[in-house]
Structures are given as structure tokens and as C-alpha cells.
PDB file of all heavy atoms in Angstrom:
ATOM      1  N   ALA X   7     -15.165 -13.413  12.880  1.00  0.00           N
ATOM      2  CA  ALA X   7     -14.821 -12.274  12.040  1.00  0.00           C
ATOM      3  C   ALA X   7     -15.407 -12.467  10.656  1.00  0.00           C
ATOM      4  O   ALA X   7     -15.642 -13.588  10.211  1.00  0.00           O
ATOM      5  CB  ALA X   7     -13.302 -12.106  11.952  1.00  0.00           C
ATOM      6  N   ALA X   8     -15.637 -11.360   9.960  1.00  0.00           N
ATOM      7  CA  ALA X   8     -16.118 -11.397   8.583  1.00  0.00           C
ATOM      8  C   ALA X   8     -15.523 -10.231   7.818  1.00  0.00           C
ATOM      9  O   ALA X   8     -15.138  -9.214   8.403  1.00  0.00           O
ATOM     10  CB  ALA X   8     -17.643 -11.351   8.527  1.00  0.00           C
ATOM     11  N   ILE X   9     -15.474 -10.378   6.498  1.00  0.00           N
ATOM     12  CA  ILE X   9     -14.873  -9.360   5.649  1.00  0.00           C
ATOM     13  C   ILE X   9     -15.648  -9.271   4.348  1.00  0.00           C
ATOM     14  O   ILE X   9     -16.051 -10.282   3.770  1.00  0.00           O
ATOM     15  CB  ILE X   9     -13.374  -9.670   5.412  1.00  0.00           C
ATOM     16  CG1 ILE X   9     -12.673  -8.536   4.660  1.00  0.00           C
ATOM     17  CG2 ILE X   9     -13.203 -11.005   4.698  1.00  0.00           C
ATOM     18  CD1 ILE X   9     -11.147  -8.666   4.683  1.00  0.00           C
ATOM     19  N   SER X  10     -15.871  -8.049   3.877  1.00  0.00           N
ATOM     20  CA  SER X  10     -16.614  -7.834   2.645  1.00  0.00           C
ATOM     21  C   SER X  10     -15.787  -8.243   1.429  1.00  0.00           C
ATOM     22  O   SER X  10     -14.596  -8.553   1.527  1.00  0.00           O
ATOM     23  CB  SER X  10     -17.053  -6.371   2.528  1.00  0.00           C
ATOM     24  OG  SER X  10     -15.940  -5.495   2.509  1.00  0.00           O
ATOM     25  N   ARG X  11     -16.407  -8.223   0.270  1.00  0.00           N
ATOM     26  CA  ARG X  11     -15.793  -8.787  -0.937  1.00  0.00           C
ATOM     27  C   ARG X  11     -14.473  -8.155  -1.323  1.00  0.00           C
ATOM     28  O   ARG X  11     -13.575  -8.845  -1.834  1.00  0.00           O
ATOM     29  CB  ARG X  11     -16.782  -8.699  -2.103  1.00  0.00           C
ATOM     30  CG  ARG X  11     -17.935  -9.673  -1.994  1.00  0.00           C
ATOM     31  CD  ARG X  11     -18.950  -9.484  -3.109  1.00  0.00           C
ATOM     32  NE  ARG X  11     -19.933 -10.565  -3.126  1.00  0.00           N
ATOM     33  CZ  ARG X  11     -21.019 -10.598  -2.364  1.00  0.00           C
ATOM     34  NH1 ARG X  11     -21.276  -9.595  -1.532  1.00  0.00           N
ATOM     35  NH2 ARG X  11     -21.851 -11.619  -2.438  1.00  0.00           N
ATOM     36  N   TYR X  12     -14.325  -6.866  -1.064  1.00  0.00           N
ATOM     37  CA  TYR X  12     -13.078  -6.194  -1.401  1.00  0.00           C
ATOM     38  C   TYR X  12     -12.313  -5.727  -0.164  1.00  0.00           C
ATOM     39  O   TYR X  12     -11.354  -4.970  -0.277  1.00  0.00           O
ATOM     40  CB  TYR X  12     -13.343  -5.036  -2.354  1.00  0.00           C
ATOM     41  CG  TYR X  12     -13.843  -5.512  -3.699  1.00  0.00           C
ATOM     42  CD1 TYR X  12     -15.206  -5.544  -3.987  1.00  0.00           C
ATOM     43  CD2 TYR X  12     -12.951  -5.966  -4.665  1.00  0.00           C
ATOM     44  CE1 TYR X  12     -15.667  -6.013  -5.201  1.00  0.00           C
ATOM     45  CE2 TYR X  12     -13.410  -6.432  -5.880  1.00  0.00           C
ATOM     46  CZ  TYR X  12     -14.763  -6.457  -6.146  1.00  0.00           C
ATOM     47  OH  TYR X  12     -15.217  -6.924  -7.356  1.00  0.00           O
ATOM     48  N   GLY X  13     -12.744  -6.181   1.000  1.00  0.00           N
ATOM     49  CA  GLY X  13     -11.997  -5.938   2.217  1.00  0.00           C
ATOM     50  C   GLY X  13     -12.262  -4.613   2.893  1.00  0.00           C
ATOM     51  O   GLY X  13     -11.576  -4.292   3.871  1.00  0.00           O
ATOM     52  N   ALA X  14     -13.236  -3.841   2.432  1.00  0.00           N
ATOM     53  CA  ALA X  14     -13.467  -2.514   2.988  1.00  0.00           C
ATOM     54  C   ALA X  14     -14.211  -2.541   4.318  1.00  0.00           C
ATOM     55  O   ALA X  14     -14.052  -1.620   5.127  1.00  0.00           O
ATOM     56  CB  ALA X  14     -14.234  -1.651   1.990  1.00  0.00           C
ATOM     57  N   VAL X  15     -15.033  -3.556   4.556  1.00  0.00           N
ATOM     58  CA  VAL X  15     -15.860  -3.627   5.745  1.00  0.00           C
ATOM     59  C   VAL X  15     -15.474  -4.862   6.541  1.00  0.00           C
ATOM     60  O   VAL X  15     -15.431  -5.969   6.003  1.00  0.00           O
ATOM     61  CB  VAL X  15     -17.358  -3.669   5.393  1.00  0.00           C
ATOM     62  CG1 VAL X  15     -18.200  -3.698   6.660  1.00  0.00           C
ATOM     63  CG2 VAL X  15     -17.731  -2.475   4.537  1.00  0.00           C
ATOM     64  N   LEU X  16     -15.207  -4.666   7.834  1.00  0.00           N
ATOM     65  CA  LEU X  16     -14.771  -5.745   8.716  1.00  0.00           C
ATOM     66  C   LEU X  16     -15.708  -5.876   9.901  1.00  0.00           C
ATOM     67  O   LEU X  16     -16.246  -4.896  10.391  1.00  0.00           O
ATOM     68  CB  LEU X  16     -13.354  -5.481   9.230  1.00  0.00           C
ATOM     69  CG  LEU X  16     -12.272  -5.185   8.192  1.00  0.00           C
ATOM     70  CD1 LEU X  16     -10.959  -4.874   8.896  1.00  0.00           C
ATOM     71  CD2 LEU X  16     -12.111  -6.347   7.230  1.00  0.00           C
ATOM     72  N   TYR X  17     -15.877  -7.103  10.371  1.00  0.00           N
ATOM     73  CA  TYR X  17     -16.664  -7.385  11.565  1.00  0.00           C
ATOM     74  C   TYR X  17     -15.861  -8.282  12.492  1.00  0.00           C
ATOM     75  O   TYR X  17     -15.199  -9.221  12.038  1.00  0.00           O
ATOM     76  CB  TYR X  17     -17.976  -8.087  11.204  1.00  0.00           C
ATOM     77  CG  TYR X  17     -18.624  -8.759  12.394  1.00  0.00           C
ATOM     78  CD1 TYR X  17     -19.425  -8.033  13.271  1.00  0.00           C
ATOM     79  CD2 TYR X  17     -18.412 -10.106  12.658  1.00  0.00           C
ATOM     80  CE1 TYR X  17     -19.996  -8.629  14.370  1.00  0.00           C
ATOM     81  CE2 TYR X  17     -18.983 -10.714  13.762  1.00  0.00           C
ATOM     82  CZ  TYR X  17     -19.773  -9.975  14.617  1.00  0.00           C
ATOM     83  OH  TYR X  17     -20.336 -10.569  15.715  1.00  0.00           O
ATOM     84  N   TYR X  18     -15.954  -8.009  13.803  1.00  0.00           N
ATOM     85  CA  TYR X  18     -15.362  -8.869  14.812  1.00  0.00           C
ATOM     86  C   TYR X  18     -16.329  -9.032  15.973  1.00  0.00           C
ATOM     87  O   TYR X  18     -16.970  -8.065  16.392  1.00  0.00           O
ATOM     88  CB  TYR X  18     -14.055  -8.291  15.361  1.00  0.00           C
ATOM     89  CG  TYR X  18     -12.976  -8.103  14.335  1.00  0.00           C
ATOM     90  CD1 TYR X  18     -12.750  -6.855  13.759  1.00  0.00           C
ATOM     91  CD2 TYR X  18     -12.172  -9.167  13.949  1.00  0.00           C
ATOM     92  CE1 TYR X  18     -11.754  -6.683  12.818  1.00  0.00           C
ATOM     93  CE2 TYR X  18     -11.177  -8.998  13.007  1.00  0.00           C
ATOM     94  CZ  TYR X  18     -10.973  -7.757  12.448  1.00  0.00           C
ATOM     95  OH  TYR X  18      -9.970  -7.594  11.515  1.00  0.00           O
ATOM     96  N   VAL X  19     -16.409 -10.238  16.503  1.00  0.00           N
ATOM     97  CA  VAL X  19     -17.164 -10.434  17.720  1.00  0.00           C
ATOM     98  C   VAL X  19     -16.423  -9.732  18.864  1.00  0.00           C
ATOM     99  O   VAL X  19     -15.187  -9.627  18.850  1.00  0.00           O
ATOM    100  CB  VAL X  19     -17.361 -11.944  18.004  1.00  0.00           C
ATOM    101  CG1 VAL X  19     -16.049 -12.615  18.362  1.00  0.00           C
ATOM    102  CG2 VAL X  19     -18.412 -12.169  19.071  1.00  0.00           C
ATOM    103  N   ASP X  20     -17.172  -9.226  19.846  1.00  0.00           N
ATOM    104  CA  ASP X  20     -16.572  -8.404  20.890  1.00  0.00           C
ATOM    105  C   ASP X  20     -15.411  -9.094  21.607  1.00  0.00           C
ATOM    106  O   ASP X  20     -14.425  -8.443  21.971  1.00  0.00           O
ATOM    107  CB  ASP X  20     -17.632  -8.003  21.920  1.00  0.00           C
ATOM    108  CG  ASP X  20     -18.580  -6.944  21.403  1.00  0.00           C
ATOM    109  OD1 ASP X  20     -18.280  -6.311  20.375  1.00  0.00           O
ATOM    110  OD2 ASP X  20     -19.632  -6.739  22.042  1.00  0.00           O
ATOM    111  N   SER X  21     -15.501 -10.388  21.803  1.00  0.00           N
ATOM    112  CA  SER X  21     -14.508 -11.100  22.586  1.00  0.00           C
ATOM    113  C   SER X  21     -13.130 -11.164  21.931  1.00  0.00           C
ATOM    114  O   SER X  21     -12.145 -11.471  22.600  1.00  0.00           O
ATOM    115  CB  SER X  21     -14.994 -12.517  22.893  1.00  0.00           C
ATOM    116  OG  SER X  21     -15.201 -13.253  21.704  1.00  0.00           O
ATOM    117  N   VAL X  22     -13.038 -10.876  20.629  1.00  0.00           N
ATOM    118  CA  VAL X  22     -11.742 -10.949  19.943  1.00  0.00           C
ATOM    119  C   VAL X  22     -11.272  -9.603  19.424  1.00  0.00           C
ATOM    120  O   VAL X  22     -10.164  -9.521  18.862  1.00  0.00           O
ATOM    121  CB  VAL X  22     -11.765 -11.967  18.786  1.00  0.00           C
ATOM    122  CG1 VAL X  22     -12.304 -13.308  19.260  1.00  0.00           C
ATOM    123  CG2 VAL X  22     -12.571 -11.447  17.601  1.00  0.00           C
ATOM    124  N   LYS X  23     -12.042  -8.558  19.604  1.00  0.00           N
ATOM    125  CA  LYS X  23     -11.648  -7.241  19.114  1.00  0.00           C
ATOM    126  C   LYS X  23     -10.324  -6.806  19.727  1.00  0.00           C
ATOM    127  O   LYS X  23     -10.102  -6.940  20.923  1.00  0.00           O
ATOM    128  CB  LYS X  23     -12.725  -6.204  19.421  1.00  0.00           C
ATOM    129  CG  LYS X  23     -13.960  -6.323  18.558  1.00  0.00           C
ATOM    130  CD  LYS X  23     -14.986  -5.248  18.900  1.00  0.00           C
ATOM    131  CE  LYS X  23     -16.203  -5.348  17.990  1.00  0.00           C
ATOM    132  NZ  LYS X  23     -17.235  -4.348  18.353  1.00  0.00           N
ATOM    133  N   GLY X  24      -9.450  -6.310  18.884  1.00  0.00           N
ATOM    134  CA  GLY X  24      -8.133  -5.894  19.327  1.00  0.00           C
ATOM    135  C   GLY X  24      -7.106  -6.995  19.345  1.00  0.00           C
ATOM    136  O   GLY X  24      -5.908  -6.719  19.519  1.00  0.00           O
ATOM    137  N   ARG X  25      -7.534  -8.243  19.186  1.00  0.00           N
ATOM    138  CA  ARG X  25      -6.620  -9.381  19.209  1.00  0.00           C
ATOM    139  C   ARG X  25      -6.548 -10.112  17.865  1.00  0.00           C
ATOM    140  O   ARG X  25      -5.485 -10.604  17.483  1.00  0.00           O
ATOM    141  CB  ARG X  25      -7.031 -10.379  20.290  1.00  0.00           C
ATOM    142  CG  ARG X  25      -7.040  -9.795  21.695  1.00  0.00           C
ATOM    143  CD  ARG X  25      -7.237 -10.884  22.746  1.00  0.00           C
ATOM    144  NE  ARG X  25      -8.525 -11.557  22.610  1.00  0.00           N
ATOM    145  CZ  ARG X  25      -8.681 -12.860  22.391  1.00  0.00           C
ATOM    146  NH1 ARG X  25      -7.605 -13.641  22.263  1.00  0.00           N
ATOM    147  NH2 ARG X  25      -9.887 -13.394  22.300  1.00  0.00           N
ATOM    148  N   PHE X  26      -7.668 -10.205  17.157  1.00  0.00           N
ATOM    149  CA  PHE X  26      -7.733 -10.925  15.884  1.00  0.00           C
ATOM    150  C   PHE X  26      -7.852  -9.935  14.731  1.00  0.00           C
ATOM    151  O   PHE X  26      -8.465  -8.869  14.871  1.00  0.00           O
ATOM    152  CB  PHE X  26      -8.943 -11.856  15.838  1.00  0.00           C
ATOM    153  CG  PHE X  26      -8.875 -13.053  16.745  1.00  0.00           C
ATOM    154  CD1 PHE X  26      -7.901 -13.181  17.723  1.00  0.00           C
ATOM    155  CD2 PHE X  26      -9.808 -14.072  16.613  1.00  0.00           C
ATOM    156  CE1 PHE X  26      -7.850 -14.280  18.556  1.00  0.00           C
ATOM    157  CE2 PHE X  26      -9.772 -15.179  17.434  1.00  0.00           C
ATOM    158  CZ  PHE X  26      -8.795 -15.282  18.410  1.00  0.00           C
ATOM    159  N   THR X  27      -7.304 -10.303  13.583  1.00  0.00           N
ATOM    160  CA  THR X  27      -7.408  -9.500  12.379  1.00  0.00           C
ATOM    161  C   THR X  27      -7.739 -10.397  11.197  1.00  0.00           C
ATOM    162  O   THR X  27      -7.014 -11.363  10.928  1.00  0.00           O
ATOM    163  CB  THR X  27      -6.108  -8.743  12.086  1.00  0.00           C
ATOM    164  OG1 THR X  27      -5.759  -7.916  13.203  1.00  0.00           O
ATOM    165  CG2 THR X  27      -6.276  -7.863  10.850  1.00  0.00           C
ATOM    166  N   ILE X  28      -8.824 -10.079  10.491  1.00  0.00           N
ATOM    167  CA  ILE X  28      -9.172 -10.794   9.276  1.00  0.00           C
ATOM    168  C   ILE X  28      -8.697  -9.978   8.077  1.00  0.00           C
ATOM    169  O   ILE X  28      -8.771  -8.749   8.078  1.00  0.00           O
ATOM    170  CB  ILE X  28     -10.690 -11.068   9.192  1.00  0.00           C
ATOM    171  CG1 ILE X  28     -11.020 -11.980   8.002  1.00  0.00           C
ATOM    172  CG2 ILE X  28     -11.492  -9.783   9.135  1.00  0.00           C
ATOM    173  CD1 ILE X  28     -12.461 -12.478   7.987  1.00  0.00           C
ATOM    174  N   SER X  29      -8.198 -10.667   7.062  1.00  0.00           N
ATOM    175  CA  SER X  29      -7.753 -10.003   5.846  1.00  0.00           C
ATOM    176  C   SER X  29      -7.950 -10.939   4.668  1.00  0.00           C
ATOM    177  O   SER X  29      -8.178 -12.141   4.846  1.00  0.00           O
ATOM    178  CB  SER X  29      -6.287  -9.568   5.960  1.00  0.00           C
ATOM    179  OG  SER X  29      -5.438 -10.681   6.139  1.00  0.00           O
ATOM    180  N   ARG X  30      -7.880 -10.391   3.470  1.00  0.00           N
ATOM    181  CA  ARG X  30      -8.022 -11.221   2.281  1.00  0.00           C
ATOM    182  C   ARG X  30      -7.114 -10.717   1.173  1.00  0.00           C
ATOM    183  O   ARG X  30      -6.825  -9.523   1.072  1.00  0.00           O
ATOM    184  CB  ARG X  30      -9.482 -11.267   1.813  1.00  0.00           C
ATOM    185  CG  ARG X  30     -10.049  -9.942   1.324  1.00  0.00           C
ATOM    186  CD  ARG X  30     -11.576 -10.015   1.154  1.00  0.00           C
ATOM    187  NE  ARG X  30     -11.969 -11.026   0.184  1.00  0.00           N
ATOM    188  CZ  ARG X  30     -13.189 -11.550   0.080  1.00  0.00           C
ATOM    189  NH1 ARG X  30     -14.145 -11.160   0.927  1.00  0.00           N
ATOM    190  NH2 ARG X  30     -13.445 -12.461  -0.843  1.00  0.00           N
ATOM    191  N   ASP X  31      -6.685 -11.646   0.343  1.00  0.00           N
ATOM    192  CA  ASP X  31      -5.894 -11.345  -0.837  1.00  0.00           C
ATOM    193  C   ASP X  31      -6.615 -12.014  -1.999  1.00  0.00           C
ATOM    194  O   ASP X  31      -6.420 -13.201  -2.268  1.00  0.00           O
ATOM    195  CB  ASP X  31      -4.467 -11.860  -0.690  1.00  0.00           C
ATOM    196  CG  ASP X  31      -3.568 -11.421  -1.829  1.00  0.00           C
ATOM    197  OD1 ASP X  31      -4.079 -11.116  -2.925  1.00  0.00           O
ATOM    198  OD2 ASP X  31      -2.340 -11.386  -1.630  1.00  0.00           O
ATOM    199  N   ASN X  32      -7.465 -11.261  -2.667  1.00  0.00           N
ATOM    200  CA  ASN X  32      -8.280 -11.840  -3.729  1.00  0.00           C
ATOM    201  C   ASN X  32      -7.444 -12.334  -4.907  1.00  0.00           C
ATOM    202  O   ASN X  32      -7.824 -13.290  -5.581  1.00  0.00           O
ATOM    203  CB  ASN X  32      -9.315 -10.823  -4.212  1.00  0.00           C
ATOM    204  CG  ASN X  32     -10.426 -10.597  -3.212  1.00  0.00           C
ATOM    205  OD1 ASN X  32     -10.647 -11.409  -2.317  1.00  0.00           O
ATOM    206  ND2 ASN X  32     -11.136  -9.495  -3.361  1.00  0.00           N
ATOM    207  N   ALA X  33      -6.308 -11.693  -5.159  1.00  0.00           N
ATOM    208  CA  ALA X  33      -5.444 -12.128  -6.251  1.00  0.00           C
ATOM    209  C   ALA X  33      -4.886 -13.519  -6.004  1.00  0.00           C
ATOM    210  O   ALA X  33      -4.636 -14.274  -6.951  1.00  0.00           O
ATOM    211  CB  ALA X  33      -4.313 -11.130  -6.461  1.00  0.00           C
ATOM    212  N   LYS X  34      -4.668 -13.870  -4.735  1.00  0.00           N
ATOM    213  CA  LYS X  34      -4.154 -15.182  -4.370  1.00  0.00           C
ATOM    214  C   LYS X  34      -5.247 -16.149  -3.942  1.00  0.00           C
ATOM    215  O   LYS X  34      -4.957 -17.312  -3.643  1.00  0.00           O
ATOM    216  CB  LYS X  34      -3.125 -15.056  -3.247  1.00  0.00           C
ATOM    217  CG  LYS X  34      -1.888 -14.269  -3.631  1.00  0.00           C
ATOM    218  CD  LYS X  34      -0.916 -14.190  -2.464  1.00  0.00           C
ATOM    219  CE  LYS X  34       0.330 -13.423  -2.846  1.00  0.00           C
ATOM    220  NZ  LYS X  34       1.280 -13.324  -1.707  1.00  0.00           N
ATOM    221  N   ASN X  35      -6.487 -15.684  -3.868  1.00  0.00           N
ATOM    222  CA  ASN X  35      -7.611 -16.503  -3.425  1.00  0.00           C
ATOM    223  C   ASN X  35      -7.393 -17.065  -2.020  1.00  0.00           C
ATOM    224  O   ASN X  35      -7.617 -18.251  -1.753  1.00  0.00           O
ATOM    225  CB  ASN X  35      -7.893 -17.645  -4.409  1.00  0.00           C
ATOM    226  CG  ASN X  35      -8.809 -17.236  -5.545  1.00  0.00           C
ATOM    227  OD1 ASN X  35      -9.329 -16.124  -5.584  1.00  0.00           O
ATOM    228  ND2 ASN X  35      -9.022 -18.142  -6.483  1.00  0.00           N
ATOM    229  N   VAL X  36      -6.973 -16.196  -1.117  1.00  0.00           N
ATOM    230  CA  VAL X  36      -6.682 -16.600   0.250  1.00  0.00           C
ATOM    231  C   VAL X  36      -7.297 -15.604   1.231  1.00  0.00           C
ATOM    232  O   VAL X  36      -7.247 -14.394   1.006  1.00  0.00           O
ATOM    233  CB  VAL X  36      -5.170 -16.710   0.511  1.00  0.00           C
ATOM    234  CG1 VAL X  36      -4.899 -17.077   1.961  1.00  0.00           C
ATOM    235  CG2 VAL X  36      -4.543 -17.747  -0.415  1.00  0.00           C
ATOM    236  N   VAL X  37      -7.853 -16.119   2.324  1.00  0.00           N
ATOM    237  CA  VAL X  37      -8.332 -15.327   3.448  1.00  0.00           C
ATOM    238  C   VAL X  37      -7.532 -15.734   4.681  1.00  0.00           C
ATOM    239  O   VAL X  37      -7.250 -16.919   4.878  1.00  0.00           O
ATOM    240  CB  VAL X  37      -9.833 -15.535   3.687  1.00  0.00           C
ATOM    241  CG1 VAL X  37     -10.303 -14.732   4.898  1.00  0.00           C
ATOM    242  CG2 VAL X  37     -10.625 -15.130   2.454  1.00  0.00           C
ATOM    243  N   TYR X  38      -7.193 -14.754   5.517  1.00  0.00           N
ATOM    244  CA  TYR X  38      -6.380 -15.009   6.697  1.00  0.00           C
ATOM    245  C   TYR X  38      -7.116 -14.599   7.962  1.00  0.00           C
ATOM    246  O   TYR X  38      -7.962 -13.705   7.957  1.00  0.00           O
ATOM    247  CB  TYR X  38      -5.073 -14.221   6.642  1.00  0.00           C
ATOM    248  CG  TYR X  38      -4.225 -14.494   5.427  1.00  0.00           C
ATOM    249  CD1 TYR X  38      -4.233 -13.626   4.342  1.00  0.00           C
ATOM    250  CD2 TYR X  38      -3.405 -15.615   5.367  1.00  0.00           C
ATOM    251  CE1 TYR X  38      -3.454 -13.863   3.224  1.00  0.00           C
ATOM    252  CE2 TYR X  38      -2.620 -15.867   4.252  1.00  0.00           C
ATOM    253  CZ  TYR X  38      -2.645 -14.989   3.191  1.00  0.00           C
ATOM    254  OH  TYR X  38      -1.869 -15.225   2.084  1.00  0.00           O
ATOM    255  N   LEU X  39      -6.748 -15.247   9.059  1.00  0.00           N
ATOM    256  CA  LEU X  39      -7.151 -14.807  10.382  1.00  0.00           C
ATOM    257  C   LEU X  39      -5.912 -14.799  11.261  1.00  0.00           C
ATOM    258  O   LEU X  39      -5.419 -15.859  11.651  1.00  0.00           O
ATOM    259  CB  LEU X  39      -8.226 -15.716  10.987  1.00  0.00           C
ATOM    260  CG  LEU X  39      -8.778 -15.250  12.339  1.00  0.00           C
ATOM    261  CD1 LEU X  39      -9.570 -13.952  12.173  1.00  0.00           C
ATOM    262  CD2 LEU X  39      -9.648 -16.324  12.980  1.00  0.00           C
ATOM    263  N   GLN X  40      -5.408 -13.614  11.548  1.00  0.00           N
ATOM    264  CA  GLN X  40      -4.272 -13.456  12.447  1.00  0.00           C
ATOM    265  C   GLN X  40      -4.797 -13.384  13.869  1.00  0.00           C
ATOM    266  O   GLN X  40      -5.616 -12.525  14.182  1.00  0.00           O
ATOM    267  CB  GLN X  40      -3.487 -12.192  12.107  1.00  0.00           C
ATOM    268  CG  GLN X  40      -2.310 -11.917  13.030  1.00  0.00           C
ATOM    269  CD  GLN X  40      -1.207 -12.931  12.898  1.00  0.00           C
ATOM    270  OE1 GLN X  40      -0.821 -13.272  11.781  1.00  0.00           O
ATOM    271  NE2 GLN X  40      -0.708 -13.434  14.015  1.00  0.00           N
ATOM    272  N   MET X  41      -4.324 -14.268  14.734  1.00  0.00           N
ATOM    273  CA  MET X  41      -4.797 -14.360  16.104  1.00  0.00           C
ATOM    274  C   MET X  41      -3.634 -14.086  17.045  1.00  0.00           C
ATOM    275  O   MET X  41      -2.670 -14.858  17.092  1.00  0.00           O
ATOM    276  CB  MET X  41      -5.400 -15.734  16.381  1.00  0.00           C
ATOM    277  CG  MET X  41      -6.518 -16.115  15.422  1.00  0.00           C
ATOM    278  SD  MET X  41      -7.325 -17.680  15.868  1.00  0.00           S
ATOM    279  CE  MET X  41      -5.955 -18.811  15.584  1.00  0.00           C
ATOM    280  N   ASN X  42      -3.726 -13.003  17.794  1.00  0.00           N
ATOM    281  CA  ASN X  42      -2.710 -12.615  18.756  1.00  0.00           C
ATOM    282  C   ASN X  42      -3.277 -12.655  20.170  1.00  0.00           C
ATOM    283  O   ASN X  42      -4.486 -12.652  20.368  1.00  0.00           O
ATOM    284  CB  ASN X  42      -2.190 -11.211  18.455  1.00  0.00           C
ATOM    285  CG  ASN X  42      -1.529 -11.091  17.105  1.00  0.00           C
ATOM    286  OD1 ASN X  42      -0.896 -12.030  16.624  1.00  0.00           O
ATOM    287  ND2 ASN X  42      -1.662  -9.922  16.483  1.00  0.00           N
ATOM    288  N   SER X  43      -2.388 -12.664  21.154  1.00  0.00           N
ATOM    289  CA  SER X  43      -2.789 -12.663  22.567  1.00  0.00           C
ATOM    290  C   SER X  43      -3.831 -13.731  22.851  1.00  0.00           C
ATOM    291  O   SER X  43      -4.853 -13.478  23.488  1.00  0.00           O
ATOM    292  CB  SER X  43      -3.307 -11.279  22.967  1.00  0.00           C
ATOM    293  OG  SER X  43      -2.329 -10.282  22.763  1.00  0.00           O
ATOM    294  N   LEU X  44      -3.569 -14.931  22.395  1.00  0.00           N
ATOM    295  CA  LEU X  44      -4.549 -16.008  22.498  1.00  0.00           C
ATOM    296  C   LEU X  44      -4.810 -16.391  23.950  1.00  0.00           C
ATOM    297  O   LEU X  44      -3.910 -16.365  24.788  1.00  0.00           O
ATOM    298  CB  LEU X  44      -4.079 -17.219  21.709  1.00  0.00           C
ATOM    299  CG  LEU X  44      -4.266 -17.088  20.194  1.00  0.00           C
ATOM    300  CD1 LEU X  44      -3.410 -18.101  19.459  1.00  0.00           C
ATOM    301  CD2 LEU X  44      -5.740 -17.275  19.829  1.00  0.00           C
ATOM    302  N   LYS X  45      -6.059 -16.747  24.213  1.00  0.00           N
ATOM    303  CA  LYS X  45      -6.526 -17.137  25.530  1.00  0.00           C
ATOM    304  C   LYS X  45      -7.062 -18.564  25.482  1.00  0.00           C
ATOM    305  O   LYS X  45      -7.490 -19.032  24.427  1.00  0.00           O
ATOM    306  CB  LYS X  45      -7.642 -16.203  26.002  1.00  0.00           C
ATOM    307  CG  LYS X  45      -7.273 -14.734  26.033  1.00  0.00           C
ATOM    308  CD  LYS X  45      -8.485 -13.885  26.393  1.00  0.00           C
ATOM    309  CE  LYS X  45      -8.139 -12.414  26.414  1.00  0.00           C
ATOM    310  NZ  LYS X  45      -9.322 -11.574  26.750  1.00  0.00           N
ATOM    311  N   PRO X  46      -7.071 -19.273  26.611  1.00  0.00           N
ATOM    312  CA  PRO X  46      -7.660 -20.617  26.614  1.00  0.00           C
ATOM    313  C   PRO X  46      -9.102 -20.641  26.100  1.00  0.00           C
ATOM    314  O   PRO X  46      -9.510 -21.637  25.499  1.00  0.00           O
ATOM    315  CB  PRO X  46      -7.591 -21.022  28.087  1.00  0.00           C
ATOM    316  CG  PRO X  46      -6.406 -20.285  28.608  1.00  0.00           C
ATOM    317  CD  PRO X  46      -6.429 -18.965  27.897  1.00  0.00           C
ATOM    318  N   GLU X  47      -9.844 -19.573  26.311  1.00  0.00           N
ATOM    319  CA  GLU X  47     -11.219 -19.498  25.832  1.00  0.00           C
ATOM    320  C   GLU X  47     -11.323 -19.484  24.313  1.00  0.00           C
ATOM    321  O   GLU X  47     -12.415 -19.673  23.769  1.00  0.00           O
ATOM    322  CB  GLU X  47     -11.915 -18.241  26.376  1.00  0.00           C
ATOM    323  CG  GLU X  47     -11.841 -18.095  27.885  1.00  0.00           C
ATOM    324  CD  GLU X  47     -10.652 -17.250  28.318  1.00  0.00           C
ATOM    325  OE1 GLU X  47      -9.571 -17.838  28.542  1.00  0.00           O
ATOM    326  OE2 GLU X  47     -10.806 -16.017  28.435  1.00  0.00           O
ATOM    327  N   ASP X  48     -10.213 -19.252  23.614  1.00  0.00           N
ATOM    328  CA  ASP X  48     -10.206 -19.283  22.157  1.00  0.00           C
ATOM    329  C   ASP X  48     -10.108 -20.694  21.597  1.00  0.00           C
ATOM    330  O   ASP X  48     -10.212 -20.878  20.381  1.00  0.00           O
ATOM    331  CB  ASP X  48      -9.041 -18.452  21.608  1.00  0.00           C
ATOM    332  CG  ASP X  48      -9.150 -16.984  21.970  1.00  0.00           C
ATOM    333  OD1 ASP X  48     -10.263 -16.426  21.888  1.00  0.00           O
ATOM    334  OD2 ASP X  48      -8.112 -16.388  22.332  1.00  0.00           O
TER     335      ASP X  48
END
């Protein structure tokens, strides 16, 4: 996954679409990757 500087543009590889979410909080200097419905292939 990737995210633009202000979070407006997001990218996900096909295999994780609908399951993973990338986000950022620039005020806290933190980037997150929420991973749901995890599979052994992850």
C-alpha cells in the first residue's frame, strides 16, 4: 500500500484490496496499516 503526502491518493496491491487500509496522521507523524481478514499468504 502507499499513500500521498496529505492522504488524498491511495494505492493497494490487488491481493489486499478490501482487506487492508493505509492511513496517516501527519500531526502525530504516524502512518498505519490496518490489516483485516488476514490469510496465511500475508
Side-chain angles (χ1 to χ4, degrees):
I9 187 167
S10 61
R11 288 176 170 84
Y12 294 96
V15 182
L16 307 177
Y17 163 83
Y18 299 98
V19 68
D20 286 345
S21 61
V22 309
K23 287 181 178 177
R25 300 189 297 120
F26 290 11
T27 303
I28 187 171
S29 62
R30 65 192 300 162
D31 187 337
N32 288 341
K34 297 180 179 179
N35 274 355
V36 178
V37 178
Y38 303 100
L39 184 67
Q40 178 67 46
M41 304 185 294
N42 298 326
S43 301
L44 283 162
K45 303 175 181 179
E47 307 93 270
D48 297 318

